[in-house]
Structures are given as structure tokens and as C-alpha cells.
């Protein structure tokens, strides 16, 4: 008898085929969003689950699913996992790092450029038929080349954004992180370590790529926004909860900062109506990793974690390896 696994959301058919070679698979190709009770009911008898970042795994769920041994997240972020509760229950957690680094950095840079050069706002103006003459100050934005790029969160994706800024656009890169990078890594991305306040005060463009947790909730609130230059822009490709959206919307509405580019939102997929009403913000629906090759690589990595662990005891990217001991 093959072990049983649950795939919580719709996924590439090729990934289901690959999983079906090794497991009894219950899939969700209709892509229904299951409530907690239904998710728990479907997990009965399953030893593994393929999650996509939105499914909460906590102590209460684990208590109701004693057979569960592994949760494989198709996302690098794992704020949907209560890791201490999973470790206490002896359940392995895996994520999908590395394979999305460059793709997500590309989107971060896309938002930076679209925000600084007012791409969404000017396209909406054109589509609305409002363009009837050229004028010297029409949609003037701020420069990207040679500007100061401030990166908050200098992990793999932050470093990939830094390389784009430093090597592609001649930007001065400053960063702030929980821990400072070693000198060789700093040199490779051409970035200078600064304090958080200095970063907000000096940067022309800020990119947020901090992992989300209770500690990083509202890392950017009214205080930090007040430190920003009046022309500065801010991009969030981490998690919505990193920014106090109400404070950001207020600053944008008052024109106290240049603009914002947001791929993630506090209550997504719901978007704060105050943000929707603003022109100086570029909004995308959490598409940081959304290219076909990258989503395929993420899905393959999550599937390989299930196969590696359940068949051979060897997951590829464990988050709580202590449960393997
Ligand atoms: C995912 C992400 O698409 O990997 C992450 O942490 O935010 C995105 O790449 C999202 O989590 C849904 O799986």
C-alpha cells in the first residue's frame, strides 16, 4: 500500500502525476479554498501534505491529525507554519528556497521601476483617453540609475535585488538586516550596512524582503514612513504584514512620499480600499515568483521533499531537521 498524501490546492498536472507514482494522492484541482474543519477532515489518514503558503498548520490542526509526518510548503516563506508546534508534534516542515530567488528579485525591481517612473498611473491616463498633448512635467518621476537603493532584509532575495541595483543600474546600495553580512558577501553585492533609521532617511528607493513573523509585524509603520524622503518610493515583496497599510495609505494620499509598489497585502486577497483609491501606488496580486519555470521548480521541490522524506527519510530543504534525529 502506498502512503497517502493530500495536495491542498490546484497544481501542475505533471506534479500530481509524479506524486501518484509514489503515493495515494488526494488532490484539489477544483482549487476550492477549504476551511479549517474541511482541511482537517481531508488530512485524516494522510502522512504528508503539499501546501502552497496559505494553509495554516498549527497545534490544534496537528492534534487532530496524528498520522501526519510532513508538511511541504511550495513557498520560501513559511509564516503559515507554527514551527515550534510542528517540532513538538514530530512533524517535519519543508519550504522551497533558492529556486525563486532571481524571479522574485526581478519582480521587486519591476515594481521599483514601475513605481519610480509612474508606469501604472501613466498607462491608466493613456487608456482613459486623457493624453491630448505633451507637457514638460507630465508624469515626471524619479531616477533609478545612480540613486540610493535601501534594502531591508538582506537574505537571498535581498542580495539578488542588490546585485541588480549595483551592477545593472549603478545604484549606491545600503542595507539593514538582523545580522550584518560577511565582508566578502557585502563586496559581491556592493552593499553598505547601515542602521534602520539611516536606511529610511538616505534611500531614494526602498525594497522590503524581510521574513514575516510576530517580530517583523509592521516593521514599516508611521515612524519609519516619516523618516523617508518626500520623493522616496517603497516596494514590498515580502509579506503584507511588514507594512502598516493604513499609515502607508495616509502618507501616499497626503503626498508625503513618492510612491509605493506592493505585491503583498495585509489581508490578501482582499486589498485595503484606501490603497485601491490611490494613483501613486503600483499593485500586483502576489506574483513575485510567478513565472512558469519558477512555479514548476517550486512545485517540484515541494514534491521532492515529500518523496525524499516519506520514501527515503531524506528531505531536501527541511526547516526543523531536529525531528529527523
Ligand atoms: C508564493 C511566496 O507564490 O514563496 C513565497 O514565500 O510568497 C510566493 O512565492 C506564495 O507564498 C504562495 O505559495
Amino acid at each position: 500500500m502506498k502512503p497517502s498524501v493530500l495536495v491542498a490546492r490546484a497544481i501542475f498536472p505533471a506534479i500530481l502525476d509524479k506524486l501518484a507514482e509514489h503515493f495515494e494522492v488526494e488532490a484539489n484541482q477544483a482549487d476550492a479554498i477549504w476551511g479549517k474543519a474541511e482541511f482537517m477532515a481531508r488530512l485524516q489518514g494522510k502522512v504528508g501534505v503539499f501546501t502552497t503558503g496559505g494553509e495554516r498548520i498549527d497545534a490544534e490542526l496537528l492534534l487532530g491529525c496524528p498520522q501526519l509526518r510532513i508538511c511541504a510548503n511550495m513557498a520560501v516563506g513559511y509564516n503559515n507554519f507554527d514551527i515550534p508546534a510542528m517540532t513538538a508534534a514530530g512533524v517535519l516542515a519543508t519550504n522551497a528556497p533558492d529556486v525563486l530567488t532571481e524571479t522574485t528579485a526581478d519582480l521587486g525591481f519591476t515594481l521599483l521601476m514601475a513605481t519610480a517612473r509612474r508606469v501604472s498611473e501613466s498607462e491608466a491616463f493613456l487608456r482613459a483617453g486623457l493624453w491630448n498633448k505633451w507637457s514638460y512635467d507630465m508624469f515626471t518621476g524619479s531616477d533609478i540609475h545612480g540613486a540610493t537603493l535601501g534594502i531591508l532584509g538582506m537574505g537571498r532575495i535581498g542580495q539578488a535585488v542588490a546585485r541588480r541595483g549595483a551592477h545593472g543600474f549603478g545604484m549606491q546600495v545600503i542595507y539593514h538586516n538582523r545580522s550584518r553580512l560577511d565582508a566578502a558577501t557585502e563586496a559581491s553585492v556592493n552593499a553598505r550596512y547601515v542602521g534602520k533609521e539611516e536606511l529610511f532617511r538616505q534611500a531614494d528607493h526602498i525594497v522590503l524582503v524581510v521574513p514575516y513573523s510576530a517580530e517583523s509585524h509592521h516593521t514599516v509603520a508611521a515612524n519609519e514612513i516619516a523618516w523617508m524622503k518626500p520623493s522616496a518610493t517603497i516596494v514590498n515583496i515580502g509579506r503584507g504584514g511588514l507594512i502598516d497599510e493604513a499609515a502607508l495609505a495616509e502618507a501616499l494620499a497626503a503626498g508625503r512620499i513618492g510612491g509605493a509598489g506592493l505585491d503583498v497585502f495585509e489581508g490578501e486577497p482582499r486589498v485595503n480600499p484606501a490603497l485601491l483609491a490611490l494613483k501613486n501606488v503600483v499593485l500586483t496580486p502576489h506574483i513575485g515568483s510567478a513565472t512558469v519555470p519558477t512555479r514548476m521548480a517550486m512545485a517540484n521541490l515541494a514534491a521532492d521533499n515529500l518523496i525524499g522524506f516519506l520514501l527515503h527519510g531524506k528531505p531536501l530543504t527541511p526547516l526543523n531537521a531536529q525531528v529527523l534525529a
Side-chain angles (χ1 to χ4, degrees):
M1 262 254 299
K2 292 177 184 170
S4 290
V5 300
L6 179 69
V7 180
R9 296 289 308 277
I11 194 61
F12 299 101
I15 299 297
L16 289 183
D17 294 345
K18 169 170 161 162
L19 289 170
E21 286 174 26
H22 310 281
F23 307 116
E24 288 299 329
V25 180
E26 179 177 341
N28 177 15
Q29 290 305 77
D31 212 26
I33 305 291
W34 296 327
K36 202 166 183 155
E38 179 159 13
F39 185 39
M40 199 190 284
R42 290 186 185 270
L43 277 170
Q44 297 312 303
K46 309 292 192 308
V47 290
V49 59
F50 181 118
T51 53
T52 62
E55 302 77 18
R56 179 99 192 119
I57 308 288
D58 57 16
E60 190 191 337
L61 182 105
L62 294 167
L63 200 64
C65 307
Q67 297 98 333
L68 193 61
R69 296 181 54 213
I70 173 173
C71 301
N73 221 24
M74 183 192 148
V76 64
Y78 50 89
N79 50 298
N80 56 319
F81 287 174
D82 181 338
I83 298 285
M86 293 176 75
T87 305
V91 174
L92 185 73
T94 64
N95 69 338
D98 302 317
V99 291
L100 48 51
T101 299
E102 299 299 329
T103 297
T104 306
D106 282 349
L107 197 270
F109 225 86
T110 304
L111 284 178
L112 186 165
M113 296 183 79
T115 305
R117 297 303 305 270
R118 304 173 64 182
V119 170
S120 298
E121 189 185 348
S122 60
E123 189 189 358
F125 169 87
L126 179 153
R127 285 180 185 272
L130 298 171
W131 186 27
N132 49 29
K133 65 177 187 337
W134 177 92
S135 59
Y136 77 97
D137 62 349
M138 190 171 79
F139 294 109
T140 45
S142 51
D143 275 324
I144 297 148
H145 71 275
T148 297
L149 169 61
I151 301 179
L152 197 60
M154 199 58 149
R156 290 165 287 224
I157 299 171
Q159 291 174 37
V161 172
R163 283 195 302 274
R164 282 158 177 74
H167 302 150
F169 291 81
M171 300 178 89
Q172 323 304 317
V173 183
I174 54 177
Y175 77 97
H176 184 72
N177 200 43
R178 267 173 309 184
S179 47
R180 190 173 170 171
L181 301 179
D182 61 67
T185 312
E186 274 188 1
S188 76
V189 295
N190 227 336
R192 187 166 62 84
Y193 183 80
V194 294
K196 186 179 175 189
E197 180 169 346
E198 196 180 343
L199 183 138
F200 277 83
R201 289 196 184 281
Q202 287 190 7
D204 297 305
H205 306 293
I206 297 170
V207 177
L208 284 180
V209 220
V210 179
Y212 183 63
S213 65
E215 293 73 53
S216 63
H217 180 73
H218 287 187
T219 289
V220 179
N223 218 18
E224 287 75 16
I225 296 168
W227 291 333
M228 288 171 67
K229 295 180 183 177
S231 59
T233 68
I234 184 160
V235 162
N236 188 5
I237 50 169
R239 287 289 180 269
L242 294 173
I243 300 189
D244 178 343
E245 274 176 3
L248 178 69
E250 211 182 295
L252 287 164
R256 286 206 301 275
I257 60 172
L262 307 174
D263 186 48
V264 286
F265 302 89
E266 285 200 83
E268 66 183 56
R270 196 192 70 86
V271 178
N272 187 330
L275 290 173
L276 289 171
L278 294 167
K279 289 186 175 163
N280 50 351
V281 56
V282 180
L283 307 168
T284 51
H286 203 147
I287 57 167
S289 63
T291 67
V292 174
T294 293
R295 284 280 164 84
M296 194 69 195
M298 292 164 71
N300 261 307
L301 181 49
D304 288 340
N305 271 311
L306 288 172
I307 296 165
F309 175 61
L310 290 170
L311 270 58
H312 313 291
K314 287 194 172 65
L316 295 168
T317 49
L319 291 164
N320 55 351
Q322 58 271 49
V323 307
L324 298 169

